[in-house]
Amino acid sequence: MPARQAPPAKEAVRKQVDRYVPAEIEARWQARWEADGLYTARVDPSRPKFYFLTMLPYTSGNLHWGHWFAMTPSDSRARYLRMRGYNVVYPIGFDAFGLPAENAAIQRNIHPKTWTYANIDSMRRQLRTMGASWDWSREAISADPEYYRWTQWFFVQLFRHGLAYKKMAPVDWCPKDNTTLAREQVIGEERVCERCKTPVIKKDLEQWFFRITAYAEELLDFTHIDWPEPIRHLQTNWIGRSEGARVTFQTEAGDPIEVFTTRPDTLWGATFLVLAPEHPLVAKLTTPDRQPAVAAYVQQTLRQSDIQREAADKQKTGVFTGGFAVNPVNGERVPVWIADYVLLTYGTGAIMAVPAHDQRDFEFARAFGLEVRPVILPPGVDALDGRTMAQAEPGYGTMVGSGELTGTPADRAVDAAIQYVEARGAGRRAVNYRLRDWLISRQRYWGAPIPIIYCPEHGQVPVPDDQLPVLLPDDVEWRPTGESPLKLHPTWKHTTCPVCGQPAERDTDTMDTFMCSSWYHLRYLSPHDQQAPFDPREYDYWMPVDTYTGGAEHATLHLMYTRFFHKAMRDLGVTRGDEPMLQLRNQGQILGPDGQRMSKSRGNVIDPGEQVLAHGADAVRAYLMFGYRWQEGGPYSVENIQGVVRWLHRLWALVLESADAPAREGDPAAARRLRRSLHEAIRQVSADLETFEFNTVVSGLMELSNALAQAREDGLEGTTEFRQAVETSLLLAAPVVPHLAEELWHRLGKPYSIHQQPWPAVDPSALAVEEVTLAVQIDGKVRDRIQVPVGVSEEEARRAALASAVVQRHLAGRAPRQVIVVPGRLVNIVT
RNA sequence: GCCGAAGUGGCGGAACUGGCAUACGCGCGCGACUCAAAAUCGCGUUCCUUCGGGAUUGUGGGUUCGAGUCCCACCUUCGGCACCA
């Protein structure tokens, strides 16, 4: 759709001006800014720095609304901060490794590398059309050897300090993508793969893990960062901290069983133990006569998918092992069962079952005729009978039937029980986390190879720093088979041990791409550094990131991993400070016009590129800022984009039409009104850019445009006040519509570039008014409005309000009981 | 079930610490321009009204001179977690 021409206004004396054709100006200014290095950021200790970071895009091929919505409002804020005098670094790069590249490459039968780098080329071009103020000289691509050399270097650092380790474990496996996944990449109740939505299965595999659990406690501390509350809650819940005790039960087979409980006060009611079927002690505890039943149950559990197994409403199943343990607090002999409702991966993989006070244990006990023994009396409960209880009683209360501790009240029961077991060496206070270590091995091709060599003599040997990167070979069969493609390469894995020089083999897995993106903000500091992952001088100046913007869907993935990574590297002396990103803000999502997620299958995809072609990048930027609450997002609206398109055409025409109006004097009152509108706009636009309230940034600019139009009606064209207001309008609009502002600034003959001008300051005297309108309320309802001088006394305001004819009529002779005066706002007459 | 976010005109959404609800824009209506239409410009636009006024921020209570905003209970929608001991 071509931009439409605005004819001269009806007075017909308006100068005929060029129409606004964004296509003619946007590319030109983009090229100029880049040629001039306008946004190239350099360390300059004489100026305050600002590290503004937007989540790097994945190399999926095309920019969609999500990119525009995340990036262009952020860019406006970066531009604003630059005009405010900050030395802003606003870098960009590409998250280029990963499964989608491989899967797309498989579909199209082209090499993942070819596909990825072709996408980067086209995405670079598309990104440039946004008119964003990125420092392209800092571009980093995670699939470049000069990048992943350092990803591997970080792995080696973690390995050397015991934070990366390999272990055999039941892990989540995506049967479609043929690779393991981190726990965080398994989504929802259906337990599907984050990428392809295929239900995951469990496999026992030897895999590399990062010890994120060592940082569980510290990751719960958000006191020094300004992150959105929902993200803090999601991470807190994911980490899942529980306080309680670990208690040891001796067994008749010899090996003790350790359990974790949050309710040590119920220990005396533990009438049996339950182990996860995969628990290592199961074989040892099982008596010969129970062997067939136990083996059958374990087999059955293994065959079941996790979804079947973890369905909460499922009937409890399990079998008796034949083994017995001893309850350490009362010396009673309790049977040991196995059941699939106990998870190997949480706590110790074993529980003490207290059927009277835990609903799951209760259901299990009733299903198998096990004893239910109440040992807690919650307030208001006189007695509980284990034989007749219909459900568990999970509340806290006074201990009963608990030996020496009988009678301990609710508020002391847990502590008393912990002290009791600690004194007898049967247990200790403990904190347990739901968080598990981060599984980073991937049996896929398109990732950074894990830099470990296996030597028959020296075991796991990290690749020495001077031999990094371990290059990913191009000549592989990269289609997935379930084995790592690197393993099937004829020569790649064969190498020599860095310690002894004897033949050895490389690890043939690659790393989770979330490892690559855990430190990209550091690579931006010096993307071509050959000596180190980043230049410490750049680090000391720019870090930490001051503002980070991106999607909330990474709450328990990237946003948690990158915090862990930073803290681990801090402890290794690589980074400084406790947190990598001080302020985080999440944008919402742009949906299709039907309110559904845009997708080809729904046929509701609107291409942002087409809108840019039709209306210009500036209009799309302004539309995205104006039409939504940025943190919320919402459906794309064809009608609403017209609103900002009109505004931009009006602004364009107004500026050019009034550009060389002959100088004259105007009505002082009208001039004062214009000046007040101008400074109110400066105040509002500044404050709202600061706080990410982008919709009111644009509405403030529109109101200012309306005030200019009114001023023109009032005959102010040609006055100093009018010219200043026009120029300041352009400065205020520059962060939002950078091309249009630059073009008009240029046409007004102002010095290049508008983006290097200082941000306008609010003059408080311009905001001052002589008269204010007070609302006059009677019993809280507005009945009248009165004009009073600005500094009017309360007494005068009251008198003026009571003098109002409307008020007199409503009062009808009654005397007000009370009159409340809120200076500058209202008078409320209470009858 | 647990945790979190959000409910304001026909629509997107404003409303800073409790003080004039509905800014700004879309849409719609009327008018101007036009042979006509589009575009553009101007005016109007929360709802009801007997034109006095009355009602209104998901629902019901409460605090207050005054509540979209604070408190209590509930409803709806969306997101996350879920046999986590």
Side-chain angles (χ1 to χ4, degrees):
Chain A
M1 201 188 308
R4 295 194 168 84
Q5 180 167 5
K10 64 175 172 219
E11 298 86 68
V13 289
R14 294 264 180 261
K15 181 176 90 160
Q16 180 78 43
V17 296
D18 292 356
R19 60 186 190 144
Y20 169 48
V21 185
E24 286 170 9
I25 60 173
E26 292 188 345
R28 182 156 43 82
W29 286 117
Q30 285 159 15
R32 173 84 190 270
W33 296 330
E34 196 163 338
D36 295 344
L38 217 58
Y39 308 119
T40 307
R42 290 191 188 82
V43 170
D44 178 0
S46 72
R47 294 169 60 204
K49 69 92 180 180
F50 200 100
Y51 191 165
F52 202 122
L53 184 67
T54 293
M55 285 183 190
L56 86 175
Y58 183 74
T59 53
S60 54
N62 274 306
L63 287 204
H64 47 76
W65 285 105
H67 294 113
W68 278 82
F69 194 50
M71 292 170 168
T72 59
S74 295
D75 172 65
S76 296
R77 191 163 180 275
R79 287 176 174 281
Y80 157 75
L81 291 164
R82 219 177 263 117
M83 290 173 82
R84 283 287 305 270
Y86 286 100
N87 186 18
V88 175
V89 64
Y90 186 51
I92 182 80
F94 296 95
D95 181 21
F97 270 142
L99 280 176
E102 246 175 296
N103 292 340
I106 289 160
Q107 270 178 15
R108 286 149 227 251
N109 197 32
I110 48 172
H111 196 283
K113 188 180 192 174
T114 314
W115 185 82
T116 299
Y117 280 82
N119 283 347
I120 290 174
D121 281 341
S122 62
M123 287 175 80
R124 274 202 200 101
R125 277 195 302 277
Q126 293 176 328
L127 283 165
R128 282 185 162 86
T129 67
M130 288 180 176
S133 57
W134 283 307
D135 180 354
W136 284 98
S137 73
R138 293 177 180 270
E139 183 197 72
I141 300 172
S142 66
D144 281 352
E146 68 168 15
Y147 186 104
Y148 71 74
R149 167 186 181 182
W150 298 106
T151 308
Q152 293 171 334
W153 181 86
F154 280 117
F155 178 97
V156 172
Q157 298 299 309
L158 291 168
F159 174 79
R160 291 212 172 107
H161 292 82
L163 291 170
Y165 65 93
K166 199 174 193 189
K167 77 168 179 195
M168 177 66 84
V171 298
D172 296 301
W173 174 272
C174 173
K176 178 141 183 272
D177 287 332
N178 276 306
T179 183
T180 50
L181 299 171
R183 177 67 189 87
E184 289 80 14
Q185 288 167 304
V186 179
I187 307 298
E189 193 176 355
E190 289 78 29
R191 299 186 49 78
V192 298
C193 168
E194 176 214 15
R195 288 286 173 200
C196 67
K197 314 298 178 207
T198 307
V200 302
I201 58 172
K202 288 277 190 210
K203 273 197 178 186
D204 280 320
L205 288 172
E206 201 181 7
Q207 302 280 291
W208 284 97
F209 292 86
F210 287 161
R211 215 176 285 283
I212 191 171
T213 51
Y215 290 85
E217 193 62 43
E218 200 191 335
L219 287 169
L220 290 168
D221 180 8
F222 297 96
T223 48
H224 301 293
I225 50 177
D226 170 19
W227 282 31
E229 200 166 281
I231 299 287
R232 302 199 311 257
H233 279 287
L234 284 168
Q235 293 198 352
T236 301
N237 290 346
W238 188 262
I239 292 165
R241 184 182 196 275
S242 298
E243 291 185 2
R246 284 184 176 234
V247 180
T248 305
F249 286 65
Q250 299 300 331
T251 66
E252 294 176 352
D255 297 83
I257 296 172
E258 193 176 37
V259 301
F260 173 74
T261 177
T262 54
R263 294 296 303 273
D265 55 324
T266 64
L267 250 167
W268 282 261
T271 50
F272 56 100
L273 298 187
V274 188
L275 307 190
E278 311 93 326
H279 195 283
L281 286 180
V282 170
K284 208 156 195 176
L285 285 161
T286 304
T287 53
D289 59 313
R290 300 297 302 155
Q291 188 62 46
V294 168
Y297 187 77
V298 170
Q299 272 310 307
Q300 178 200 323
T301 306
L302 289 179
R303 271 202 313 276
Q304 278 184 331
S305 68
D306 271 31
I307 171 172
Q308 287 169 311
R309 183 172 164 183
E310 291 183 4
D313 52 356
K314 200 186 75 166
Q315 281 286 315
K316 292 284 179 290
T317 62
V319 294
F320 177 43
T321 61
F324 284 86
V326 177
N327 186 333
V329 293
N330 55 15
E332 277 182 25
R333 197 165 174 259
V334 295
V336 180
W337 286 63
I338 62 171
D340 63 6
Y341 80 92
V342 176
L343 308 175
L344 184 67
T345 44
Y346 183 80
T348 61
I351 62 153
M352 62 175 210
V354 185
H357 304 293
D358 180 284
Q359 186 59 26
R360 296 154 299 177
D361 298 343
F362 180 85
E363 286 165 19
F364 192 82
R366 283 289 187 254
F368 295 100
L370 295 158
E371 186 192 352
V372 177
R373 185 193 301 169
V375 291
I376 298 289
L377 284 183
V381 178
D382 296 335
L384 287 169
D385 184 343
R387 287 162 301 181
T388 56
M389 287 170 77
Q391 57 183 24
E393 175 49 70
Y396 288 89
T398 307
M399 296 174 75
V400 294
S402 298
E404 292 171 35
L405 294 188
T406 295
T408 309
D411 58 340
R412 293 212 318 270
V414 171
D415 271 351
I418 291 173
Q419 280 163 26
Y420 189 90
V421 292
E422 280 181 341
R424 281 154 187 78
R428 62 199 156 81
R429 186 180 298 278
V431 173
N432 198 60
Y433 302 93
R434 215 181 66 105
L435 183 70
R436 314 213 193 123
D437 278 339
W438 173 15
L439 194 172
I440 59 104
S441 303
R442 294 293 178 274
Q443 292 69 47
R444 292 293 293 249
Y445 165 67
W446 192 233
I450 291 173
I452 290 288
I453 292 166
Y454 300 98
C455 170
E457 184 142 344
H458 298 96
Q460 300 166 347
V461 182
V463 175
D465 292 355
D466 60 6
Q467 291 172 32
L468 294 177
V470 178
L471 282 171
L472 198 59
D474 289 336
D475 57 332
V476 289
E477 178 50 63
W478 35 265
R479 287 166 190 78
T481 59
E483 295 273 24
S484 169
L486 296 178
K487 198 180 217 169
L488 305 175
H489 189 279
T491 57
W492 185 84
K493 67 181 173 186
H494 300 295
T495 183
T496 53
C497 169
V499 180
C500 63
Q502 293 302 303
E505 286 196 4
R506 296 187 184 283
D507 194 298
T508 53
D509 285 349
T510 53
M511 283 183 247
D512 182 0
T513 50
F514 281 113
M515 171 68 179
C516 308
S517 56
S518 288
W519 72 282
Y520 75 102
H521 55 287
L522 299 176
R523 193 58 183 170
Y524 283 156
L525 298 172
S526 50
H528 306 298
D529 199 316
Q530 299 295 309
Q531 314 305 318
F534 55 84
D535 179 343
R537 280 171 319 205
E538 297 267 340
Y539 184 98
D540 290 342
Y541 181 70
W542 295 111
M543 281 293 286
V545 171
D546 295 282
T547 291
Y548 193 29
T549 62
E553 68 275 13
H554 289 110
T556 54
L557 292 156
H558 164 66
L559 288 171
M560 195 177 62
Y561 295 146
T562 198
R563 291 181 67 215
F564 153 70
F565 188 92
H566 183 91
K567 290 171 190 294
M569 286 304 147
R570 171 204 61 196
D571 291 346
L572 271 48
V574 177
T575 60
R576 268 193 285 284
D578 292 335
E579 295 282 351
M581 290 119 185
L582 299 181
Q583 180 188 50
L584 173 72
R585 289 295 180 270
N586 303 117
Q587 80 282 352
Q589 272 195 356
I590 298 299
L591 308 168
D594 55 359
Q596 301 286 102
R597 263 188 88 131
M598 282 194 199
S599 75
K600 280 187 197 126
S601 57
R602 285 201 187 87
N604 63 348
V605 176
I606 311 276
D607 179 11
E610 280 173 28
Q611 300 305 307
V612 173
L613 233 51
H615 307 296
D618 283 338
V620 171
R621 292 170 62 108
Y623 162 68
L624 290 174
M625 288 174 72
F626 178 59
Y628 306 85
R629 289 190 266 224
W630 190 65
Q631 343 256 342
E632 305 286 323
Y636 174 82
S637 157
V638 198
E639 288 86 29
N640 283 348
I641 198 169
Q642 289 299 334
V644 292
V645 170
R646 279 181 207 146
W647 167 56
L648 294 180
H649 278 91
R650 271 200 300 271
L651 179 60
W652 173 273
L654 183 133
V655 171
L656 293 184
E657 283 165 7
S658 64
D660 33 39
R664 58 185 297 272
E665 296 285 309
D667 168 43
R672 269 199 309 277
R673 273 201 302 276
L674 176 60
R675 202 168 124 76
R676 192 180 314 131
S677 300
L678 176 65
H679 283 266
E680 175 53 29
I682 299 173
R683 191 199 61 72
Q684 193 208 320
V685 169
S686 310
D688 292 347
L689 278 167
E690 205 77 60
T691 54
F692 298 84
E693 285 162 82
F694 298 118
N695 48 357
T696 46
V697 167
V698 179
S699 73
L701 291 172
M702 286 174 167
E703 281 176 279
L704 179 54
S705 294
N706 294 345
L708 279 168
Q710 180 60 51
R712 194 155 69 159
E713 292 289 305
D714 294 345
L716 253 45
E717 222 170 339
T719 64
T720 315
E721 289 85 355
F722 192 85
R723 206 180 57 246
Q724 277 176 356
V726 167
E727 287 170 8
T728 306
S729 296
L730 293 179
L731 291 169
L732 294 178
V736 177
V737 285
H739 313 87
L740 177 133
E742 184 81 283
E743 177 72 17
L744 291 174
W745 188 253
H746 171 74
R747 292 198 187 197
L748 291 181
K750 307 293 289 180
Y752 174 82
S753 158
I754 192 171
H755 302 296
Q756 291 174 311
Q757 304 303 314
W759 188 252
V762 179
D763 179 353
S765 74
L767 296 176
V769 288
E770 304 90 60
E771 280 208 316
V772 287
T773 308
L774 294 186
V776 181
Q777 298 180 332
I778 296 175
D779 296 329
K781 283 194 200 308
V782 178
R783 298 298 181 179
D784 198 7
R785 285 161 226 272
I786 55 172
Q787 290 286 121
V788 295
V790 75
V792 72
S793 75
E794 287 197 18
E795 189 46 48
E796 286 168 274
R798 177 184 330 228
R799 208 175 307 131
L802 287 169
S804 146
V806 182
V807 169
Q808 285 305 318
R809 198 180 67 223
H810 273 94
L811 285 178
R814 287 175 297 167
R817 275 199 296 139
Q818 195 185 351
V819 179
I820 286 149
V821 179
V822 182
R825 291 193 183 270
L826 54 74
V827 179
N828 189 13
I829 298 163
V830 187
T831 62

